[in-house]
Amino acid sequence: MPRLSIGIEVNPYADEIGPLVNLVAVTETRARPALMFGTSSDRIGTPDGRAYFGTLSKNLEPLTGLRLAPYAGASYGTFDDELRAIGGVWAGLGKGFSTTLIWDGVDLHPTVDYSRGRHTVTVLWVALERVGVAYSVAF
């Protein structure tokens, strides 16, 4: 499993392009959740700013038989200069597709993702109002 994902995030509503980075600092085991750190745009849909976050996540498939992985953590955003609780849940849909419900501490953002090899394209429903797109490649 790749431990580093680096991408480019394009936000045409904010006229902003920025890095999208996720690092798995501690891998998950049967008993221990994964610890991840990363950066992205500050709260999807804000006009500018960066977010720096840390999360814990756990794959529940061995326990439930369902491809589910909830996560929770904290994010510091430069737009509001605030630390917020964040969380969500990832669900595998098969054939390279998955979905994630993202709570950024203010708004809910459902996504649909398609992954092929090291590449992932994500379509986001920003604050249940607008659509956005992200692309990333894993190493």
Side-chain angles (χ1 to χ4, degrees):
M1 173 181 182
R3 294 184 65 167
L4 177 64
S5 174
I6 299 173
I8 297 171
E9 188 173 32
V10 179
N11 183 348
Y13 294 106
D15 198 25
E16 181 180 67
I17 298 174
L20 184 63
V21 180
N22 288 290
L23 171 66
V24 179
V26 177
T27 58
E28 179 178 346
T29 67
R30 186 159 177 82
R32 176 185 70 211
L35 173 62
M36 296 178 64
F37 295 102
T39 185
S40 67
S41 63
D42 187 0
R43 287 191 301 111
I44 301 165
T46 56
D48 58 56
R50 301 294 308 156
Y52 303 93
F53 55 86
T55 61
L56 293 170
S57 65
K58 186 73 175 115
N59 179 0
L60 299 181
E61 188 172 11
L63 301 170
T64 65
L66 301 172
R67 296 182 63 207
L68 294 175
Y71 70 93
S75 177
Y76 171 76
T78 63
F79 177 73
D80 290 332
D81 192 29
E82 289 190 24
L83 184 66
R84 299 180 190 277
I86 60 172
V89 62
W90 172 92
L93 304 174
K95 297 189 180 186
F97 287 93
S98 63
T99 186
T100 306
L101 291 176
I102 300 169
W103 174 253
D104 67 9
V106 176
D107 291 309
L108 182 67
H109 309 286
T111 74
V112 174
D113 309 290
Y114 177 72
S115 297
R116 185 175 176 127
R118 302 180 320 150
H119 305 274
T120 300
V121 174
T122 300
V123 177
L124 307 100
W125 191 14
V126 179
L128 304 176
E129 296 175 359
R130 303 185 300 267
V131 175
V133 178
Y135 166 77
S136 64
V137 60
F139 298 93

